[in-house]
Amino acid sequence: MRQVRVGLIGTGYIGRCHAIAYAQAGTVFPLKGELVLEMLAEITPELAAQRAAEFGFSRSTADWHALVADPAIDVVDICAPNFLHKEMALAAIHHGKHVYCEKPLALNAQDAAEMVQAARAKGVKTLVGFNYMKNPTSQLARQIIANGEIGDVVHFYGTHNEDYLAEPRTPIDWHCRKASAGLGALGDLAAHIVNMAHYLVGEIAAVSGDLHTFIKQRPDPKNPALLCAVENEDQASALLRFANGAMGTIETSRIACGRKMGLSYVVTGTKGTLSFTQERMAELKLYRHDEPAERQGFKTILVGPQHPDYAAFCISAGHGIGFNDRKTVEIRDLVNGIAAGDPMWPDFAEGWKVSCVLDAIAASAAQRRWLEVNHG
Amino acid sequence: MRQVRVGLIGTGYIGRCHAIAYAQAGTVFPLKGELVLEMLAEITPELAAQRAAEFGFSRSTADWHALVADPAIDVVDICAPNFLHKEMALAAIHHGKHVYCEKPLALNAQDAAEMVQAARAKGVKTLVGFNYMKNPTSQLARQIIANGEIGDVVHFYGTHNEDYLAEPRTPIDWHCRKASAGLGALGDLAAHIVNMAHYLVGEIAAVSGDLHTFIKQRPDPKNPALLCAVENEDQASALLRFANGAMGTIETSRIACGRKMGLSYVVTGTKGTLSFTQERMAELKLYRHDEPAERQGFKTILVGPQHPDYAAFCISAGHGIGFNDRKTVEIRDLVNGIAAGDPMWPDFAEGWKVSCVLDAIAASAAQRRWLEVNHG
Amino acid sequence: MRQVRVGLIGTGYIGRCHAIAYAQAGTVFPLKGELVLEMLAEITPELAAQRAAEFGFSRSTADWHALVADPAIDVVDICAPNFLHKEMALAAIHHGKHVYCEKPLALNAQDAAEMVQAARAKGVKTLVGFNYMKNPTSQLARQIIANGEIGDVVHFYGTHNEDYLAEPRTPIDWHCRKASAGLGALGDLAAHIVNMAHYLVGEIAAVSGDLHTFIKQRPDPKNPALLCAVENEDQASALLRFANGAMGTIETSRIACGRKMGLSYVVTGTKGTLSFTQERMAELKLYRHDEPAERQGFKTILVGPQHPDYAAFCISAGHGIGFNDRKTVEIRDLVNGIAAGDPMWPDFAEGWKVSCVLDAIAASAAQRRWLEVNHG
Amino acid sequence: MRQVRVGLIGTGYIGRCHAIAYAQAGTVFPLKGELVLEMLAEITPELAAQRAAEFGFSRSTADWHALVADPAIDVVDICAPNFLHKEMALAAIHHGKHVYCEKPLALNAQDAAEMVQAARAKGVKTLVGFNYMKNPTSQLARQIIANGEIGDVVHFYGTHNEDYLAEPRTPIDWHCRKASAGLGALGDLAAHIVNMAHYLVGEIAAVSGDLHTFIKQRPDPKNPALLCAVENEDQASALLRFANGAMGTIETSRIACGRKMGLSYVVTGTKGTLSFTQERMAELKLYRHDEPAERQGFKTILVGPQHPDYAAFCISAGHGIGFNDRKTVEIRDLVNGIAAGDPMWPDFAEGWKVSCVLDAIAASAAQRRWLEVNHG
């Protein structure tokens, strides 16, 4: 069985999530390749060594350049801060590595386009960590739509709201700066819901956006008396027109009090409606217009072994799946994609398309008018 | 005690709702005036007489002109189709009657402005039937916002979605024609949620709208083989900027499968969030940011006697209120406004402001750019 | 059209609810008789006169004996405290009046049996105010069960929990004394859920009960320093066996923190399940076992005009019904029963059967063993 | 760091769940011992070898006797069918192994008592796989109760309902036979909710039970025309009295249509109430009686890093935990218990207490009266 030797860069919030998924992937799924946790890069040799021990990687380094160049690595997994994605990915591609990169793919669509080009030129495989669509429940949503069970989509309402910066006294960090994060809530959160819109409904043709920074300054983490400017948006909204004619709205916020994992969608079709919120990630609500009027209603389907990719975790319905389980599905796709040529999606091209939509929303907000999304 | 003698025009869907509310208002509330069901107008003398008997009105007529001119009438209650609102209201005002008119006030803001002017000139009192804000639960929402319990509002998301025209085989009716209804879902449904936005957050300064007619033709009711053009929108959405700086989004549809009474809102503030849907009209969800992190969450408050206007219906919390109960609160306001000079809101000026917003949304959709709302 | 002249005794909590329902009944429903609010009795002439004015009754009295004997009364409506039900009902029956009595019918099954006998001997019609089963949603539940849509019932779980006495500092009142109330939570609350069990599943054959008084003393309302003994149960539970073989459990409490209107049921059958809570009185959840495994789930049906007795209130689904609307259905049954001989249920015989079950639960709790319910 | 070398017997439904948890435990938690997946036993050498490869165990065997006697094993993990638990555990204890056994500990309390005695005599550590109480949400429930936040418990309502045998055409299997399973729904499902009642409220002093087999025969799996007798109960209920005076009710069913993971509880106290269902495993509902009446309500707390054992999976609230994550917490307890002497609970003594309660319910049902639970 072909080996898939991973080099992981970054072990913070999302890197740790990857590590848990790597640990369980081979037990959950019958993988088509042998997953090898080869090397891990962190900011210092000590931290790198400690995390390698914790996460079960064989080697560690404080030099990510060495990692991307290492001949024993097949795929580079980039969990470093957003502003490093491009540089790291280009370096990895240069060395002929496949790349598995966290979202957002880049700080803007231009950078993302360069990455797509480089990967294409080198012929390496790519995967972007838009993991929410790997949730069996959202896979079921797509199946239902693809089956025509809700007819033609007429409306998509999607949100990714959280409240991690709702507290004005929370010190400033990299999320709030253009150089390190690019966009604010759009880049950090809305990237997910735009990808979900693509997955469930299709390409977005035009947008009318709005955005605002409500908390304009935040304390310096080391000197709370010093206030620093927040450089990107706390909150954004956009009206959408999909290529297939459906209307849509997406909303995102990082100051939405009470929304802890507020990725949600309602997809309305000519024959029915689907509704989902990630905070109840094992439930999909389905309404069918063709039922008798006296028995119509939204049905709460609990995800189970009849649905995609659930049975690998548990053969009983309703027993539930967790945060890290979605990443485990993603890792399965990574390994099977690299080892056996299975399709790998969302790839860099999708990461770039998401960036195009996000950039169009920001530009539209500045120009106060609708803009076509340029996927040119 | 001063009498408030009502002349009701129209006894269809909403006229019947008024009648039920008139019937119970005096038992539910200690009214400040004596409510007298004086006269009722319908399309034929027979129907008028029958409905007067059913609804407890003393006299009936097939001539609404006679009703609005009748000296024994203090207030004219207009439950006729939308396109007649203006003519009837102006006639009633001409005769010095107070006017209680169903929403939307008129087919467009221009007409509504004329009605406001006429009422002001004549010094009569006016009330528009935006009854959803009379719901004790939504009154509580306003109280909570006014108290500052959720801080400054940063976002309003409001919908009024229904599915009464989701079925393409449903024959065409007056809702679908410009001459009789003016706007489509915007006028019939979104009027409510725009009024609610005004009530909860404040004036809307600018909008970016979108709208579409998905079902372009419907069968003639008498000859189903004959297809007639639908002349107004099935579905509309708009981004909003409020005068106070808050962002917002409203959405409306008459083809939203499964939404039977889909008036809903989520109001996000700097210190908390409120969430409500009319389908669970006795519940308000409240999140407070200032609670300890380990005990934060949305609290479901069941409306009860501690909340505005509930105790009149029942002194036990959670026992619930119904569709017609909101109208009963509205009738209480009408009677106390006319008999005792209590404030009456939403008045024609508010009806006109709602029309200004709706017209701006339609114009913005046509121009594909943001428009200021002209309340000039 | 035959008149139905009502004499109402008692205008407290539930009397007021009756008054609101009387006020709207004739507008909501096309009644088969003419409802006449003839006379009202209260504790003093002043209060009686005031309430008669408020509620629209023609005459008033402080002497209920005069009311039950008055020749212009067809039906006596008893909303007085429980301990007076028997005496008043027997007096009304003696004078040949029909009787509409609030629940519980009597303080115990023995008294209830006497009332049934008296009514039968005199040939008068009777109705007991178990209004929750008049809710269109619960009527729908019964229809679904009767249609066989959930197969044979194998389990009924029902509650009527509230928290009106959860606060130990709440002063003692008539609810807590055997002489005035008989049983505690069982009589005041569980009577409703036992009636609902009868309505939905059928007769109860045997019970194993338990009950307890957690708050053993409460302050005297006039002298809070003086503690008075609570004489009946705060909380009770019972296992049930229905005559048709189904198992069941009912629970009741008046100290159940947070349950404001906690009448709820889950009815499990061999082919499906129904779930309902009165706090969301317009929703019925239905699960059908015969759907494909990948689309199974509980469907939330919003009550609407396709369901029994809803359309009279509103012709749009999901617009909701309120607390007093159930009583309005009950009043319709009363008027049509007396004026046109339509069936009237729950009658005194049902009131007595409910008492038999409640008494059996209390006796079983004392004897620590199962008891047959003696309907003999 | 001390090694904890595991020998796993059985790799079906629950064995697979253990394997996934073993795989991720060391990445999720900083374990106090080195977890070594030493050996695995299955029914044939081939299956054992295959599963060892899948699950990452070093050695495999078709002879569990060899496994329990192997000197390189520290703890034996028993995931074999219920009827083998006793024999395997006694053998493991005989060889001085610690034992981690799935629930129910044994087919009856007598057998469980022998296992407790043997473990105590040999001084080995024991753990029973009642994993639902390891859920961070239920750990939070216990914290809240222990803190006194809901006062003294007055009532516990707990269920474990599923529908895996709701279909009468489902062939008979070991669950339905006394020799292989002992009790039916009580042993397979109610064991969990009894353990949860112990965890949240305390010891159960007396019970009044009821049980019934609704589907009395099922097809032979190999010859569907042949019907075989179902030997144990489909459904059971019991009233409880806790040692601390609280009342309670538990219900269990394996034919409860629509309940896919219906472990749920409502714990009512003198100052508040908690409500939970495993189908929404990341939500705990909390009602506090001491809040102002106009702001009371059930608050939905989404489990997060402020709560026990959640942060190890994810540092963001509301991102959710899955089915296998609870087992991962359990494995952490196992490793830290054996390697570092941390407390390990639920141990065999708890498994035995649960059996005592279940046996008492079955005996009470047969005798139609309350029985004390004999923990003697």
Side-chain angles (χ1 to χ4, degrees):
Chain A
M1 195 184 266
R2 194 176 149 186
Q3 285 195 330
V4 177
R5 296 165 300 176
V6 176
L8 171 67
I9 310 178
T11 64
Y13 180 95
I14 199 69
R16 197 151 187 290
C17 172
H18 283 224
I20 294 172
Y22 283 127
Q24 71 171 351
T27 306
V28 172
F29 289 107
L31 301 177
K32 298 181 181 175
E34 185 194 346
L35 182 60
V36 178
L37 304 184
E38 182 63 32
M39 198 176 193
L40 174 155
E42 251 301 347
I43 213 75
T44 65
E46 295 72 24
L47 183 58
Q50 179 194 326
R51 289 288 159 82
E54 278 172 45
F55 296 173
F57 279 74
S58 303
R59 293 184 289 150
S60 64
T61 175
D63 176 11
W64 66 261
H65 297 88
L67 183 147
V68 301
D70 195 285
I73 298 287
D74 299 306
V75 55
V76 174
D77 177 356
I78 304 175
C79 292
N82 301 352
F83 74 97
L84 293 166
H85 290 183
K86 182 184 171 186
E87 183 184 359
M88 289 172 170
L90 292 179
I93 291 165
H94 172 78
H95 289 286
K97 311 300 187 195
H98 306 296
V99 186
Y100 170 29
C101 184
E102 265 307 313
K103 46 56 56 184
L105 182 54
L107 299 193
N108 54 59
Q110 177 57 39
D111 285 0
E114 286 181 50
M115 296 160 80
V116 172
Q117 282 310 107
R120 235 174 240 162
K122 200 75 176 189
V124 302
K125 290 172 185 288
T126 59
L127 183 68
V128 184
F130 291 120
N131 56 82
Y132 292 100
M133 40 126 332
K134 304 292 185 187
N135 187 341
T137 317
S138 287
Q139 291 190 55
L140 171 62
R142 182 173 154 102
Q143 259 190 1
I144 287 172
I145 296 169
N147 287 350
E149 295 179 50
I150 64 165
D152 296 327
V153 175
V154 297
H155 194 268
F156 175 84
Y157 178 67
T159 69
H160 195 144
N161 293 320
E162 299 198 10
D163 67 359
Y164 62 85
L165 286 175
E167 175 52 53
R169 289 168 300 186
T170 299
I172 203 156
D173 71 4
W174 67 269
H175 290 92
C176 301
R177 297 207 158 105
K178 288 202 171 168
S180 48
L183 294 165
L186 280 169
D188 193 43
L189 302 176
H192 286 299
I193 192 66
V194 170
N195 167 251
M196 190 68 82
H198 287 163
Y199 180 61
L200 297 177
V201 186
E203 266 193 20
I204 294 166
V207 301
S208 172
D210 194 19
L211 52 77
H212 192 64
T213 308
F214 285 88
I215 301 173
K216 295 186 166 47
Q217 294 182 312
R218 290 183 175 279
D220 183 276
K222 290 175 181 151
N223 176 5
L226 179 65
L227 292 177
C228 310
V230 172
E231 298 171 358
N232 50 27
E233 76 288 352
D234 289 327
Q235 192 176 287
S237 303
L239 303 182
L240 313 176
R241 282 293 183 126
F242 289 86
N244 63 14
M247 293 171 65
T249 301
I250 59 168
E251 308 208 85
T252 190
S253 174
R254 62 193 183 190
I255 61 164
C257 288
R259 268 62 58 97
K260 302 303 178 187
M261 208 310 109
L263 180 142
S264 73
Y265 52 79
V266 181
V267 188
T268 306
T270 51
K271 294 183 182 167
T273 296
L274 285 175
S275 170
F276 171 79
T277 171
Q278 188 66 31
E279 290 181 354
R280 289 179 175 168
M281 77 174 98
E283 296 181 17
L284 185 67
K285 294 187 196 295
L286 169 62
Y287 177 92
R288 292 287 303 267
H289 177 64
D290 58 3
E291 298 195 340
E294 66 274 18
R295 294 293 179 273
Q296 287 177 338
F298 277 90
K299 189 196 292 177
T300 301
I301 301 172
L302 288 174
V303 73
Q306 298 80 16
H307 305 132
D309 281 339
Y310 176 94
F313 295 95
C314 178
I315 58 169
S316 294
H319 284 51
I321 43 175
F323 175 71
N324 299 308
D325 295 340
R326 292 191 314 272
K327 275 291 172 199
T328 304
V329 176
E330 196 171 272
I331 299 287
R332 188 266 326 261
D333 289 353
L334 180 77
V335 173
N336 291 358
I338 292 173
D342 285 5
M344 262 167 66
W345 197 85
D347 58 9
F348 275 18
E350 166 62 10
W352 163 70
K353 284 184 182 176
V354 168
S355 274
C356 291
V357 173
L358 299 177
D359 284 5
I361 291 171
S364 159
Q367 301 177 33
R368 311 310 282 163
R369 61 184 181 92
W370 283 80
L371 290 180
E372 307 289 309
V373 177
N374 187 352
H375 289 315
Chain B
M1 195 184 266
R2 193 175 151 186
Q3 285 192 332
V4 177
R5 295 165 301 177
V6 176
L8 171 67
I9 310 178
T11 63
Y13 180 95
I14 199 69
R16 197 149 187 289
C17 172
H18 282 226
I20 294 173
Y22 283 128
Q24 72 170 352
T27 305
V28 172
F29 289 107
L31 301 177
K32 297 180 182 174
E34 184 193 346
L35 181 59
V36 179
L37 304 184
E38 183 62 33
M39 199 177 192
L40 175 155
E42 251 300 347
I43 213 75
T44 65
E46 295 72 26
L47 183 59
Q50 180 194 325
R51 288 288 159 81
E54 278 172 45
F55 294 175
F57 279 74
S58 303
R59 292 184 289 150
S60 64
T61 176
D63 176 11
W64 66 261
H65 296 89
L67 184 148
V68 301
D70 194 286
I73 298 288
D74 298 306
V75 56
V76 174
D77 177 355
I78 303 174
C79 292
N82 301 352
F83 74 96
L84 291 167
H85 289 184
K86 182 184 173 186
E87 183 184 359
M88 288 173 171
L90 292 180
I93 292 165
H94 172 75
H95 290 287
K97 310 302 187 192
H98 305 297
V99 186
Y100 171 29
C101 185
E102 265 306 314
K103 48 56 57 183
L105 183 53
L107 298 194
N108 55 60
Q110 177 57 39
D111 284 0
E114 285 180 52
M115 294 160 80
V116 171
Q117 281 313 106
R120 233 174 241 163
K122 199 75 176 190
V124 301
K125 289 171 185 290
T126 58
L127 184 67
V128 183
F130 291 120
N131 57 81
Y132 292 100
M133 42 129 328
K134 304 293 184 185
N135 186 342
T137 317
S138 287
Q139 292 190 55
L140 171 62
R142 183 172 154 102
Q143 259 190 3
I144 287 172
I145 295 168
N147 286 350
E149 294 179 51
I150 63 165
D152 297 326
V153 174
V154 298
H155 194 267
F156 174 85
Y157 177 67
T159 68
H160 194 144
N161 293 321
E162 299 198 9
D163 66 0
Y164 62 85
L165 287 175
E167 174 53 53
R169 289 167 300 185
T170 299
I172 202 156
D173 72 2
W174 66 269
H175 289 92
C176 301
R177 296 208 157 105
K178 287 204 170 165
S180 48
L183 293 165
L186 280 169
D188 193 43
L189 302 177
H192 285 300
I193 192 66
V194 170
N195 167 251
M196 190 68 83
H198 287 163
Y199 180 62
L200 297 178
V201 185
E203 266 193 20
I204 294 165
V207 300
S208 171
D210 194 18
L211 52 79
H212 193 63
T213 308
F214 285 87
I215 301 173
K216 294 187 165 50
Q217 293 183 310
R218 288 182 177 279
D220 184 277
K222 289 173 183 155
N223 176 5
L226 179 67
L227 292 176
C228 310
V230 172
E231 299 173 359
N232 51 27
E233 77 285 354
D234 288 327
Q235 193 176 285
S237 302
L239 302 182
L240 313 176
R241 282 293 182 125
F242 289 87
N244 64 13
M247 291 170 65
T249 301
I250 59 167
E251 307 208 86
T252 192
S253 175
R254 61 191 182 191
I255 60 164
C257 288
R259 269 60 61 94
K260 302 303 178 186
M261 210 309 109
L263 182 142
S264 73
Y265 52 79
V266 182
V267 189
T268 306
T270 51
K271 294 183 181 166
T273 296
L274 284 175
S275 170
F276 171 80
T277 171
Q278 187 67 31
E279 289 181 354
R280 290 180 173 167
M281 77 175 99
E283 296 182 16
L284 186 67
K285 294 189 195 295
L286 169 63
Y287 177 91
R288 292 287 304 268
H289 177 65
D290 58 4
E291 298 195 340
E294 67 274 18
R295 294 293 179 272
Q296 287 177 340
F298 278 89
K299 190 197 292 178
T300 301
I301 301 174
L302 287 174
V303 72
Q306 297 81 15
H307 305 132
D309 282 337
Y310 177 94
F313 294 94
C314 178
I315 57 170
S316 293
H319 283 50
I321 42 175
F323 174 70
N324 300 307
D325 295 340
R326 294 191 313 272
K327 274 291 171 197
T328 304
V329 176
E330 196 171 273
I331 300 285
R332 189 268 324 266
D333 289 354
L334 179 78
V335 172
N336 291 359
I338 290 173
D342 284 6
M344 261 165 67
W345 196 86
D347 58 9
F348 275 19
E350 165 62 9
W352 164 70
K353 284 183 181 176
V354 168
S355 274
C356 292
V357 172
L358 299 177
D359 283 5
I361 290 170
S364 158
Q367 300 177 32
R368 312 310 283 165
R369 62 184 183 91
W370 282 80
L371 290 179
E372 307 289 307
V373 178
N374 186 354
H375 290 314
Chain C
M1 195 184 263
R2 191 174 152 187
Q3 287 193 330
V4 176
R5 296 166 299 178
V6 176
L8 171 66
I9 310 177
T11 64
Y13 180 95
I14 198 70
R16 198 151 185 290
C17 172
H18 283 224
I20 293 172
Y22 283 127
Q24 72 170 351
T27 306
V28 172
F29 289 106
L31 300 178
K32 297 180 181 173
E34 184 193 345
L35 182 59
V36 179
L37 305 183
E38 183 62 33
M39 198 177 191
L40 174 157
E42 252 299 348
I43 211 78
T44 66
E46 295 73 25
L47 183 59
Q50 180 194 324
R51 290 287 161 81
E54 279 172 45
F55 295 174
F57 279 73
S58 303
R59 293 185 286 151
S60 65
T61 177
D63 176 11
W64 66 262
H65 297 89
L67 185 147
V68 301
D70 194 285
I73 299 288
D74 297 309
V75 56
V76 175
D77 177 355
I78 303 174
C79 291
N82 302 353
F83 74 96
L84 291 166
H85 290 182
K86 181 183 173 186
E87 183 184 358
M88 289 173 170
L90 292 180
I93 292 165
H94 172 76
H95 289 287
K97 311 302 186 192
H98 305 298
V99 186
Y100 172 27
C101 185
E102 267 305 315
K103 49 53 58 183
L105 182 54
L107 299 194
N108 55 60
Q110 176 58 38
D111 285 359
E114 286 180 48
M115 295 161 79
V116 171
Q117 282 311 106
R120 233 174 240 163
K122 200 75 177 190
V124 301
K125 288 172 186 288
T126 58
L127 184 66
V128 183
F130 290 119
N131 57 82
Y132 292 100
M133 41 128 330
K134 304 293 185 185
N135 187 342
T137 317
S138 287
Q139 291 190 55
L140 172 60
R142 181 173 155 102
Q143 259 189 2
I144 288 172
I145 296 169
N147 287 349
E149 295 180 50
I150 63 165
D152 296 325
V153 174
V154 297
H155 193 267
F156 174 85
Y157 178 67
T159 68
H160 195 143
N161 292 321
E162 299 198 10
D163 67 0
Y164 62 85
L165 286 175
E167 175 52 55
R169 288 168 301 185
T170 300
I172 202 158
D173 72 3
W174 67 268
H175 289 93
C176 301
R177 295 207 158 105
K178 289 203 169 166
S180 48
L183 294 165
L186 280 170
D188 193 43
L189 302 176
H192 284 301
I193 193 66
V194 170
N195 167 251
M196 190 69 84
H198 287 163
Y199 181 61
L200 298 177
V201 185
E203 267 193 21
I204 294 167
V207 300
S208 172
D210 195 18
L211 52 78
H212 193 63
T213 308
F214 284 88
I215 301 174
K216 295 186 166 49
Q217 292 184 311
R218 290 184 175 278
D220 184 278
K222 293 177 181 150
N223 177 5
L226 179 65
L227 292 176
C228 311
V230 171
E231 298 171 0
N232 50 29
E233 76 285 354
D234 288 327
Q235 191 176 288
S237 302
L239 303 182
L240 313 176
R241 282 292 183 125
F242 289 86
N244 63 14
M247 290 172 66
T249 302
I250 60 169
E251 308 209 85
T252 192
S253 173
R254 61 193 184 191
I255 60 166
C257 287
R259 268 63 58 95
K260 302 302 179 186
M261 208 311 107
L263 181 142
S264 73
Y265 52 81
V266 182
V267 189
T268 306
T270 50
K271 295 183 180 167
T273 296
L274 286 174
S275 170
F276 171 81
T277 169
Q278 188 66 31
E279 289 181 354
R280 289 179 174 168
M281 78 176 98
E283 297 181 16
L284 185 67
K285 293 188 196 296
L286 170 62
Y287 177 91
R288 293 287 303 267
H289 177 65
D290 58 3
E291 300 195 339
E294 65 274 19
R295 294 293 179 272
Q296 286 178 340
F298 277 90
K299 189 196 292 176
T300 301
I301 301 173
L302 287 173
V303 74
Q306 298 79 14
H307 305 133
D309 282 338
Y310 176 94
F313 294 94
C314 177
I315 58 169
S316 294
H319 283 51
I321 42 172
F323 175 69
N324 300 307
D325 295 341
R326 292 192 313 274
K327 275 290 172 197
T328 304
V329 176
E330 194 171 275
I331 299 285
R332 189 268 323 264
D333 289 353
L334 180 77
V335 172
N336 291 359
I338 292 174
D342 285 7
M344 264 166 64
W345 196 85
D347 57 9
F348 275 19
E350 166 62 10
W352 164 70
K353 283 182 183 178
V354 168
S355 274
C356 290
V357 173
L358 300 177
D359 284 5
I361 291 170
S364 159
Q367 300 177 34
R368 311 311 281 163
R369 63 186 180 91
W370 283 80
L371 290 180
E372 308 288 309
V373 177
N374 185 355
H375 289 314
Chain D
M1 195 183 265
R2 191 176 151 187
Q3 286 193 330
V4 176
R5 297 167 297 177
V6 176
L8 171 67
I9 309 176
T11 64
Y13 180 95
I14 200 68
R16 200 151 184 289
C17 173
H18 283 226
I20 294 172
Y22 283 127
Q24 72 170 351
T27 306
V28 172
F29 290 107
L31 301 177
K32 297 181 180 173
E34 184 193 347
L35 182 57
V36 179
L37 304 184
E38 183 62 32
M39 197 177 194
L40 175 155
E42 252 300 347
I43 214 75
T44 65
E46 295 73 25
L47 182 59
Q50 179 194 325
R51 289 288 159 80
E54 278 172 46
F55 296 174
F57 279 73
S58 305
R59 294 184 286 151
S60 64
T61 176
D63 175 13
W64 66 261
H65 297 89
L67 184 148
V68 302
D70 194 285
I73 298 288
D74 297 307
V75 56
V76 174
D77 177 355
I78 303 173
C79 291
N82 301 353
F83 74 97
L84 291 166
H85 290 184
K86 182 183 173 186
E87 183 184 358
M88 288 173 170
L90 291 180
I93 292 166
H94 172 77
H95 289 287
K97 310 303 185 191
H98 305 296
V99 186
Y100 171 28
C101 184
E102 267 304 315
K103 50 54 58 183
L105 183 54
L107 298 194
N108 55 61
Q110 175 58 38
D111 284 0
E114 285 180 50
M115 294 160 80
V116 172
Q117 282 311 107
R120 230 173 245 162
K122 199 78 176 189
V124 301
K125 289 171 185 288
T126 59
L127 183 67
V128 183
F130 291 119
N131 57 81
Y132 292 99
M133 42 128 330
K134 304 294 184 185
N135 186 341
T137 317
S138 288
Q139 291 190 55
L140 171 60
R142 181 173 154 102
Q143 260 190 2
I144 287 173
I145 295 169
N147 287 349
E149 294 179 51
I150 63 165
D152 296 325
V153 174
V154 298
H155 193 267
F156 175 84
Y157 178 67
T159 68
H160 195 144
N161 292 321
E162 300 198 9
D163 66 1
Y164 62 84
L165 286 175
E167 175 51 55
R169 289 168 300 186
T170 300
I172 202 157
D173 73 1
W174 67 268
H175 290 93
C176 302
R177 296 208 158 104
K178 288 204 170 166
S180 48
L183 293 165
L186 280 169
D188 192 44
L189 302 176
H192 285 300
I193 193 65
V194 169
N195 168 251
M196 190 68 83
H198 287 162
Y199 180 62
L200 297 177
V201 185
E203 267 192 20
I204 294 166
V207 301
S208 171
D210 194 19
L211 52 79
H212 193 64
T213 308
F214 285 88
I215 302 173
K216 294 186 167 48
Q217 294 183 311
R218 291 183 175 277
D220 184 278
K222 290 174 184 154
N223 176 6
L226 178 67
L227 292 177
C228 311
V230 171
E231 299 172 358
N232 50 27
E233 76 287 352
D234 289 326
Q235 191 176 287
S237 302
L239 303 182
L240 313 175
R241 282 293 184 123
F242 289 87
N244 64 13
M247 290 170 66
T249 302
I250 59 169
E251 308 208 83
T252 191
S253 174
R254 61 192 184 192
I255 60 164
C257 287
R259 267 63 59 94
K260 302 302 180 188
M261 209 309 108
L263 182 143
S264 73
Y265 52 80
V266 181
V267 189
T268 306
T270 51
K271 294 182 180 167
T273 296
L274 285 175
S275 169
F276 171 81
T277 170
Q278 187 66 30
E279 290 181 355
R280 289 179 173 167
M281 79 176 97
E283 298 181 14
L284 185 67
K285 293 188 195 297
L286 169 63
Y287 177 93
R288 291 288 303 267
H289 177 65
D290 59 3
E291 299 195 340
E294 65 276 17
R295 294 294 179 271
Q296 286 177 340
F298 277 89
K299 189 195 293 176
T300 301
I301 301 172
L302 287 173
V303 73
Q306 298 80 15
H307 304 134
D309 281 338
Y310 177 94
F313 294 94
C314 178
I315 59 170
S316 294
H319 284 50
I321 42 174
F323 175 70
N324 298 308
D325 294 341
R326 293 191 313 273
K327 275 291 171 197
T328 304
V329 175
E330 195 171 274
I331 300 285
R332 188 267 326 262
D333 289 353
L334 179 78
V335 172
N336 291 0
I338 291 173
D342 285 7
M344 262 166 67
W345 196 86
D347 57 8
F348 275 18
E350 167 61 10
W352 164 70
K353 283 183 183 176
V354 168
S355 274
C356 290
V357 172
L358 299 176
D359 284 5
I361 290 171
S364 158
Q367 300 178 33
R368 311 311 283 162
R369 63 184 182 91
W370 283 81
L371 290 180
E372 307 289 308
V373 177
N374 186 354
H375 289 314

